[in-house]
Amino acid sequence: TADNRHAEDASIRSRRGANPSFIRRNHAIKPSSSSLFATVTNTRGGDSNDNIYTSTESSSSNQQFDYLVEKAQRHLREKDADQAFATLAQAYGIDPTSTTIAALFESCLGLKIDLAEELYSTWKNDAGRALSEAELTNLFQDRMGLSSLFIDKEEYDEAGIQLRKAIEEAQYWLSSSLQLPDASTTASSDQLDLTNTQFKHWQPSIDRAQYLLYRTNAACCQWDTYFQDGQQLSQSLSHNASPSGHVQRILHPFDALKFPCISLELASKIAQSYAARALESHGLVDKEETTTDEQRSLRRPTVTVNRKELPTLEQKIRIGYISPDFTSRHPLAFLMQHVFRYHEKSQFSVYIYALSSKVDDGPEVQAIKESCDQFTYLSPSAMSPMELYQRMVQDELDIIVDLCGYAGTSIVAEIMASRCLLQQVNDESSSSAGGNGADCSSRLLPIHVSYMGFPGSVGSSRIWDYSIFDQVVIPPDDEYGIREHYNEALVYMPHCYFVNSHKTVLGREGDGIILANEEERIQLRAKYGIHPRAFVYCCHSRPDKVDPSTFRTWISALSTARSEYFAKHADERKLDSSKSGAPVLWLLRSGKEMEENLRQLVRKDFGESMEDALLFADVSERNEHLRRLGCADVFLDTPAYNAHTLGCDALYLGLPMISLLRNNCSDNQADSMCDDQSTIATDKLASRVGASLLRSAEMEDLIYPNMSDYEDAMVKCALNSEWFESIRNRLRSSVLLSPLFDTERWVRNLEASFMHMKSMNDKQSNRLPDIIVTDP
């Protein structure tokens, strides 16, 4: 939340700091000089840890911090909100992780809003002077800040209240200022067109507030206006392009992949916009924005590489992997902890760059340290992106693999974009020396590869040369028009592109993750309130990956399965779920509002008797999360954004997974429950990973082309025990032998692509081909 991190596996607890996210978040409206909010919104979200305050006194930082906290508390008691805010901004600079600071910021912003509301209400009721734009700006930003604090605490209802008020107040003030006919009532965003007015600078801020409201509602499954809000968000992003032609940077690229309302085309444009920002940070212009549609439509050449037919290298290839997520708390380190040990040491040297100033000695990170040639911590707060890049280049790397993309702080994209500035210097030097400026002398710099962190196009073939995927997530023949939305060259892995270390990490003696017998499973079920006989549909993905159409499909299938069960066990119909063996749906809880919203939907659409079929699990530590998956019978994949880490977890533990992959991304005729607006497309990469996992696990018969078949499969799992048992036995017998969990084999295929990249670089090729790796 605070730094836009998007760990895929939200069922694993991440130790979030209490950083108030509004402090470091960009706001499209520039605050007036009198706005104290400007003192803490001047840095881009997650990009800097620089202190706002530097003590000139001889006292220690702790003493200074305590002094500032006491001073801020005194200002709050005196209802001097501006002075309290300024003091808290200084204290935040000393300790941005303090929970005390977060609580005081909440009180301070609440006080500021209360005072501003009195002024606003007086003006709105024609009883006072007109509200200035600067005053409205401060009120708007304070509401945005307070909503961020509520979101960090998973108090989504409170966050939604602040966001809605921010939008309504701004729209009312603007419509009044423009003297619109309907200024007496709050103007809706589609009525309020600011394009050709003196207030057009407000549009990005209102759009961002609407985006955050949509995101907040999704996090707590508040779906009353889900499709309408999504359509409005999509339209605002499409219509409000920047002067350069790029989509406004309102929506985070990761959310663009997750939200069903954002098309593949629009998501790719958002990634391109963030790539342009990375280039702009170095004073560079995004040359790709001038590329014609005809040029974009030209298909790249392809080359096929057989990993078993590669020559021996004359010298080692030096590979650098960079990420801010080499930490025991992040799924990346868990998934890749045993990947690097399989690199062929006679042909590859492995360098790991952890983008952090904090040392992590967790077992996952320790395994990575032991398997590489060099492990280096790089501090983004101590060095600029260019300095960080030059530090890596000093190690004479041939290839740099970016394991982050836009999954976290934007600093990684800016580091990778540093090469473009060095390329420009190289090319200018070559030209001034009488050479050909297009001779690719800059190819002496490392090849750039995007992998793992961001499941989509990174939006720039100038910053990244290649992205690594597979032929399920991006069909190379482009039958569905998917490939054309990826600027960079692609590596097609022969099996699933998504690597893991499950085979060497899980199920070791004494770890207790894999349940030993049925008795142990029954005991663990009792802990979570699950009946020993109940068939358990499970989805422990983050709630914001669930959409209302999919949820209704789940409940419809569950209702059918329960009706069949109660037809045979009528005496259990009135028992609660812990005492009845009827099928249940087990979801991950995300705040109290989320659970109540889903229960209310079930009561309204399916009757009160179905409410008892819902069970909720709290966010847990990783081992508990893995162990409790053994209590479930089948895992339900979320169509809009599939299970990645969780999908690997479920399949490795022998839990069949049902996933959607449409044969035609726009075909919804077989979905009786969905109208055109609510149909979930599966053309974005993140919506195709589940199918890739299943195919690599040799379980592709659990991939369904529409939600109708998906629903039928759910019912069949619960009612046709013979068929389901055969599915489960086949998964459990093949899981250890399947390509999905053969990490060493995966690394050998990756190395084949690296060797070809290096040979292409040595030949100074101008147009990079897509690389198709075969594994006969």
Side-chain angles (χ1 to χ4, degrees), residues 99-113:
T99 55
T100 300
I101 290 296
L104 288 174
F105 264 123
E106 184 179 328
S107 298
C108 182
L109 288 174
L111 176 60
K112 291 188 68 173
I113 289 169

Side-chain angles (χ1 to χ4, degrees), residues 450-462:
S450 172
Y451 175 63
M452 197 65 163
F454 187 71
S457 173
V458 281
S460 174
S461 59
R462 192 177 173 197

Side-chain angles (χ1 to χ4, degrees), residues 438-656:
D439 68 356
C440 293
S441 60
S442 56
R443 286 290 186 185
L444 297 174
L445 293 168
I447 300 164
H448 285 186
V449 178
S450 172
Y451 175 63
M452 197 65 163
F454 187 71
S457 173
V458 281
S460 174
S461 59
R462 192 177 173 197
I463 301 176
W464 296 271
D465 300 301
Y466 291 93
S467 284
I468 299 173
F469 296 121
D470 63 58
Q471 297 190 43
V472 176
V473 295
I474 305 178
D477 57 12
D478 213 23
E479 179 183 357
Y480 305 131
I482 294 176
R483 174 65 183 90
E484 67 183 69
H485 296 291
Y486 291 75
N487 296 42
E488 63 273 32
L490 300 181
V491 172
Y492 289 99
M493 296 291 279
H495 310 292
C496 184
Y497 85 96
F498 196 79
V499 74
N500 64 82
S501 299
H502 284 60
K503 191 173 181 178
T504 52
V505 174
L506 301 184
R508 292 176 294 192
E509 185 177 353
D511 66 9
I513 290 174
I514 297 179
L515 302 181
N517 50 53
E518 186 62 23
E519 181 180 353
E520 190 174 354
R521 186 172 190 251
I522 291 173
Q523 291 175 352
L524 191 59
R525 278 189 165 209
K527 174 183 176 181
Y528 296 109
I530 302 172
H531 191 277
R533 293 198 317 273
F535 189 91
V536 179
Y537 297 104
C538 169
C539 181
H540 285 179
S541 294
R542 275 200 321 240
D544 59 358
K545 292 184 181 181
V546 183
D547 66 272
S549 295
T550 298
F551 183 74
R552 286 186 169 91
T553 296
W554 291 351
I555 301 301
S556 177
L558 182 62
S559 177
T560 300
R562 286 173 67 87
S563 295
E564 289 289 331
Y565 179 86
F566 287 131
K568 299 176 182 178
H569 304 85
D571 57 321
E572 296 184 21
R573 188 177 292 274
K574 294 184 179 181
L575 300 178
D576 62 44
S577 58
S578 64
K579 298 178 181 178
S580 169
V584 295
L585 175 60
W586 196 20
L587 302 172
L588 185 71
R589 182 183 287 111
S590 176
K592 59 183 180 180
E593 295 102 333
M594 170 262 189
E595 180 176 348
E596 179 51 37
N597 286 334
L598 292 184
R599 291 191 181 281
Q600 183 176 348
L601 185 152
V602 170
R603 287 195 298 267
K604 177 183 176 182
D605 292 0
F606 295 90
E608 293 187 3
S609 62
M610 280 296 295
E611 181 186 353
D612 198 46
L614 295 182
L615 298 179
F616 293 87
D618 291 321
V619 173
S620 68
E621 299 293 342
R622 180 176 289 120
N623 281 359
E624 182 185 352
H625 147 69
L626 292 166
R627 180 174 166 79
R628 73 186 179 190
L629 280 178
C631 295
D633 291 294
V634 66
F635 188 89
L636 303 177
D637 201 8
T638 45
Y641 192 109
N642 295 166
H644 293 47
T645 307
L646 261 174
C648 292
D649 294 343
L651 293 172
Y652 187 80
L653 295 171
L655 189 61

Side-chain angles (χ1 to χ4, degrees), residues 242-260:
S242 67
S244 66
H246 285 297
V247 174
Q248 290 280 6
R249 296 166 196 140
I250 296 169
L251 184 69
H252 191 278
F254 225 110
D255 283 337
L257 300 179
K258 184 171 53 180
F259 293 165

